[in-house]
């Protein structure tokens, strides 16, 4: 391809991480292998390739998971004075499932006083009537209590997407995993699964405004109110 001198000074080609610059009858190339690019004349002997940098070591992310299926307190104690709790299946194995139960007021044996406000869902929308020691998805796939976030995510998609990006859900540790590990909450660490909506609250102590409420030993900063700008152009009296 014939290239004029004017074109040669301006022609730049980028391909495969190499920039070819045609100018003054010579060809130079930049190889973007590091932050510093040195022009090397074409045809010159290239030195040994710099070794690729080692990938940064990422620390693990831990999750505060439940230990397993929950147990229900019987309100009694054993001979050692310890509270006695039983598995859900202890009673539900011999109890006929009621697919219409959707309120704590309908419960007459266990779970009296349960606060249940979760849309139009019933108990068995999430609990597995085939095995009360587990949960199930909308397609009836079994889910362990330790994997409860799969169940929450099938309906609360926006929150799940935000959680994956770190914008939802509490955490401790390091945001930058190259500096240390991180520990994250799951849905049920913060939300009651039977009544997940947080109640409205009002903070007791309002935020301190450092302008209107100065710290001790500091003077109140004077502010001036904004006034309408005055026009410097001569008044317009219309076209004669």
């Amino acid at each position: 391809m014939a290239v004029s001198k004017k074109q040669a000074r301006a022609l730049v080609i980028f391909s495969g991480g190499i920039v070819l610059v045609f100018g003054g009858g010579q060809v130079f190339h930049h190889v973007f292998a590091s932050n510093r690019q040195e022009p090397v004349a074409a045809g010159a002997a290239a030195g040994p390739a710099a070794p690729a940098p080692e990938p940064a070591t990422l620390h693990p992310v831990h999750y505060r998971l439940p230990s397993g299926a929950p147990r229900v307190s019987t309100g009694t104690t054993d001979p050692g004075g310890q509270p006695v709790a039983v598995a859900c299946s202890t009673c539900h194995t011999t109890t006929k499932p009621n697919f219409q139960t959707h309120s704590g007021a309908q419960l007459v044996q266990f779970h009296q006083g349960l606060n249940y406000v979760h849309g139009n869902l019933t108990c068995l929308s999430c609990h597995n009537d085939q095995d009360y020691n587990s949960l199930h998805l909308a397609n009836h796939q079994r889910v362990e209590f330790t994997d409860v976030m799969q169940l929450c995510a099938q309906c609360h998609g926006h929150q799940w997407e935000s959680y994956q990006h770190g914008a939802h859900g509490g955490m401790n540790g390091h945001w930058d995993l190259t500096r240390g590990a991180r520990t994250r909450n799951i849905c049920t660490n913060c939300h009651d699964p039977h009544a997940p909506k947080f109640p409205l609250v009002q903070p007791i102590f309002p935020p301190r405004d450092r302008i209107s409420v100065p710290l001790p030993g500091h003077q109140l900063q004077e502010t001036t109110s904004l006034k309408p700008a005055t026009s410097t152009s001569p008044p317009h009296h219309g076209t004669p």
Side-chain angles (χ1 to χ4, degrees):
M1 178 181 66
V3 180
S4 66
K5 291 183 178 180
K6 182 177 181 180
Q7 291 175 325
R9 289 193 296 267
L11 182 59
V12 178
I13 300 176
F14 177 79
S15 176
I18 300 177
V19 173
L20 300 179
V21 182
F22 295 83
Q26 293 181 331
V27 179
F28 297 86
H29 64 275
H30 289 275
V31 181
F32 292 91
S34 64
N35 292 331
R36 183 182 179 186
Q37 295 87 32
E38 294 291 343
V40 180
E54 292 292 334
T57 300
L58 298 181
H59 293 269
V61 177
H62 305 286
Y63 296 87
R64 297 186 178 97
L65 301 176
S67 58
R71 300 177 68 84
V72 181
S73 174
T74 62
T76 61
T77 57
D78 61 16
Q82 299 298 319
V84 176
V86 296
C88 300
S89 57
T90 302
C91 298
H92 285 286
T93 299
T94 57
T95 303
K96 183 179 179 179
N98 186 346
F99 291 88
Q100 304 304 318
T101 303
H102 62 277
S103 170
Q106 298 174 272
L107 304 173
V108 295
Q109 294 181 350
F110 281 100
H111 315 298
Q112 290 93 341
L114 175 68
N115 182 26
Y116 185 83
V117 184
H118 204 155
N120 296 323
L121 300 179
T122 68
C123 299
L124 295 179
S125 295
C126 299
H127 290 277
N128 189 352
D129 66 291
Q130 300 299 317
D131 178 8
Y132 278 86
N133 292 327
S134 65
L135 304 166
H136 73 87
L137 300 179
N139 62 358
H140 298 287
Q141 177 183 341
R142 174 191 169 98
V143 176
E144 300 293 341
F145 276 90
T146 52
D147 298 324
V148 65
M149 292 191 71
Q150 294 184 31
L151 179 60
C152 302
Q154 70 175 355
C155 295
H156 302 281
H158 292 299
Q159 290 80 359
W160 172 242
E161 182 179 4
S162 298
Y163 181 90
Q164 292 178 298
H165 292 88
H168 189 93
M171 66 180 70
N172 299 101
H174 294 268
W175 181 265
D176 183 357
L177 292 178
T178 63
R179 302 182 60 184
R182 183 190 309 156
T183 301
R184 300 200 64 182
N185 292 327
I186 65 170
C187 304
T188 53
N189 293 138
C190 302
H191 296 272
D192 181 348
H194 301 115
K197 183 178 180 179
F198 282 161
L200 298 178
V201 296
Q202 181 176 358
I204 298 177
F205 299 102
R208 174 182 286 272
D209 187 344
R210 66 181 182 87
I211 302 299
S212 60
V213 184
L215 296 175
H218 293 74
Q219 294 182 352
L220 181 64
Q221 179 178 343
E222 295 183 0
T223 59
T224 57
S225 59
L226 296 178
K227 297 180 180 180
T230 57
S231 175
T232 57
S233 58
H236 180 68
H237 298 291
T239 303

